[in-house]
Amino acid sequence: MTADAPDLKPEGPKESRSFGRLGIRRTQLLKNLQHFVVAAELGSFHKAADRLAIVQSALSRRIGELEAQLGGRLFEREPTGVRLTLAGEALLEDASRILREVDLAIRRFDLIDSGQVSLLRVGFNGAAMMFAPIPDGLQAFRSANPTVELRLTPMLSEQAFQALVAGTIDLALAYELGYPHSLKSRQLVLDDLALALPEHHPLAANSGLGVEDLDGADFIGMDLAQSGLMAEKVAQALHSSGVAIRVLMETGSTEATLSLVAAGLGIAFVNRSQAGRHPPNVVIRDVTGFSVPLPLKLFWRAEIETPVLLRFVETLAGQFEATG
C-alpha cells in the first residue's frame, strides 16, 4: 500500500449504517421543517419567502425536498396561494410542536450553560396539593434556589408516569398506584380514600359508617380513561368486601367529583386529604372495613438525576418530616 492510499475503514454493523442514514434524513428533514411551518401558517410561498428572507424559488425547493423525504404532498397549489393537504395539516401540528421543543431546548441549554438558571419540570397531582407541606415546600425551594425555574403542571398520577417516561417532565408528585416502572422515588406521606356525601344523604348521619352500608349505593365514579388504576383498586377493595355499587357517572378530577356530590347527584370516594377543603354542604366520612392506601411520592428517572432535582426532593421531604 502506498503512503497516499486512502484510509479504508470497514463498514460497521447494519444497525450503525441504518442509524447513520436515519440521522442524515432527520437532519435534512429538520432543516426544512421551519420553512414548511412558515409557508403553512401564511398560506403563501411568496409571503413565507419574504418572512424567511430567501427567494421564493429556494423556498419552493425546500418544500419539494421535504415532500420527497416524506413521500407525499404537503400543499395543494392554488391560484391564490397554497392550501395544506390532510397529511400536511397533520404534519403542521407535529412540526410546530417539534420546533417549539427545539427552541426550548436551546434556550434551556443557553441559560444553564451561562449559569443564569436551570429548569425543573414537575407534574403534580392536584389532590396532593391539599397537604400543607407541599405549598410550603415549594415556597422554601424557590427561596433557597432563586435561579431555578420551576414549571408546575397539574396532571393525574397515571398521566404523570407517562409524562416521565416520555421525558416531558423531570419529576412527578404522584400517588403510587401500581403503574409498572423502574423509576426512583421518595415517599412523602401515606394517604387513603374516604367517602364524600351530600350533607342530607341518608348515610351522612352515620358516623360509624361500614363498607356494608355502601351496597347498592349510587356513586360518582372515576374516569376509567384517566384513572383506570385507581378505579381498579377501588373495585377490588369493594369486591373483596362483597359490596356492589352503581356508578351513575364518571369524572376526571376531584374538583368535579366534589361539585357533583354537593349537587346531590351521588356519593364518591375522594382522597382523605380533601377533608376540610370540600364544599360546605359535603361531608367526609371514613368507612370501616374499606381502605385503599395511597403512598404519595416523588418520582424521577435515574438518568436525569441532578443536584437541583435532589435538592427539590429533599426540600419537600423535609417539610413533611418537620410536620410529622
Side-chain angles (χ1 to χ4, degrees):
M1 178 180 293
T2 62
D4 58 348
D7 183 16
L8 298 177
K9 295 182 179 179
E11 289 189 0
K14 181 179 179 181
E15 291 79 5
S16 298
R17 298 197 301 273
S18 298
F19 179 79
R21 288 194 295 270
L22 176 62
I24 293 172
R25 185 182 182 193
R26 184 188 300 126
T27 300
Q28 293 172 337
L29 188 144
L30 283 173
K31 180 179 68 175
N32 293 327
L33 276 185
Q34 182 177 4
H35 296 78
F36 161 71
V37 169
V38 174
E41 291 176 345
L42 295 179
S44 164
F45 282 10
H46 176 71
K47 293 179 180 178
D50 288 344
R51 171 78 61 84
L52 294 166
I54 61 176
V55 296
Q56 184 173 334
S57 59
L59 175 63
S60 297
R61 186 168 59 253
R62 291 286 181 87
I63 298 299
E65 288 176 359
L66 184 59
E67 290 179 326
Q69 290 160 5
L70 294 172
R73 295 184 63 82
L74 296 172
F75 293 97
E76 298 291 350
R77 277 67 170 177
E78 298 178 339
T80 57
V82 291
R83 177 174 54 85
L84 285 170
T85 63
L86 289 177
E89 291 177 0
L91 180 65
L92 176 61
E93 181 179 348
D94 291 333
S96 299
R97 174 179 51 79
I98 290 168
L99 292 176
R100 284 195 302 270
E101 291 295 330
V102 170
D103 290 343
L104 177 61
I106 294 172
R107 175 174 173 268
R108 183 182 182 189
F109 173 84
D110 288 341
L111 291 173
I112 295 174
D113 186 57
S114 65
Q116 296 180 51
V117 71
S118 58
L119 173 65
L120 199 59
R121 304 166 300 171
V122 182
F124 67 91
N125 186 291
M129 299 300 284
M130 296 297 101
F131 289 100
I134 297 294
D136 291 345
L138 292 175
Q139 183 59 47
F141 180 82
R142 289 177 63 88
S143 298
N145 302 271
T147 63
V148 177
E149 178 188 347
L150 272 182
R151 184 175 301 165
L152 305 175
T153 304
M155 53 182 64
L156 297 175
S157 293
E158 293 178 46
Q159 295 172 323
F161 285 115
Q162 295 163 4
L164 272 178
V165 172
T168 55
I169 60 174
D170 306 307
L171 269 164
L173 177 62
Y175 288 100
E176 177 67 83
L177 301 174
Y179 187 92
H181 64 79
S182 57
L183 302 166
K184 298 188 73 171
S185 66
R186 174 75 174 269
Q187 182 165 323
L188 302 177
V189 70
L190 185 64
D191 203 354
D192 206 328
L193 292 183
L195 191 66
L197 312 96
E199 61 180 347
H200 298 302
H201 192 278
L203 296 177
N206 187 353
S207 58
L209 200 60
V211 66
E212 64 279 359
D213 297 317
L214 306 182
D215 195 44
D218 293 335
F219 264 77
I220 299 164
M222 302 168 189
D223 184 355
L224 296 180
Q226 301 184 63
S227 304
L229 292 175
M230 177 73 84
E232 183 179 343
K233 281 180 171 291
V234 171
Q236 289 174 348
L238 292 172
H239 179 74
S240 64
S241 300
V243 171
I245 63 173
R246 292 192 296 269
V247 177
L248 302 181
M249 61 193 78
E250 297 177 355
T251 66
S253 71
T254 301
E255 294 78 8
T257 298
L258 288 172
S259 296
L260 293 173
V261 172
L265 297 178
I267 61 180
F269 289 116
V270 296
N271 295 71
R272 185 177 290 160
S273 54
Q274 297 293 327
R277 295 179 174 85
H278 50 79
N281 57 336
V282 171
V283 297
I284 305 292
R285 294 279 186 268
D286 285 330
V287 180
T288 303
F290 177 86
S291 178
V292 178
L294 299 172
L296 177 63
K297 299 181 178 182
L298 283 166
F299 297 90
W300 66 96
R301 303 197 317 273
E303 62 269 24
I304 64 166
E305 186 174 275
T306 63
V308 168
L309 186 150
L310 292 177
R311 286 203 301 273
F312 184 89
V313 171
E314 291 301 323
T315 299
L316 261 65
Q319 289 290 326
F320 277 92
E321 292 167 1
T323 58

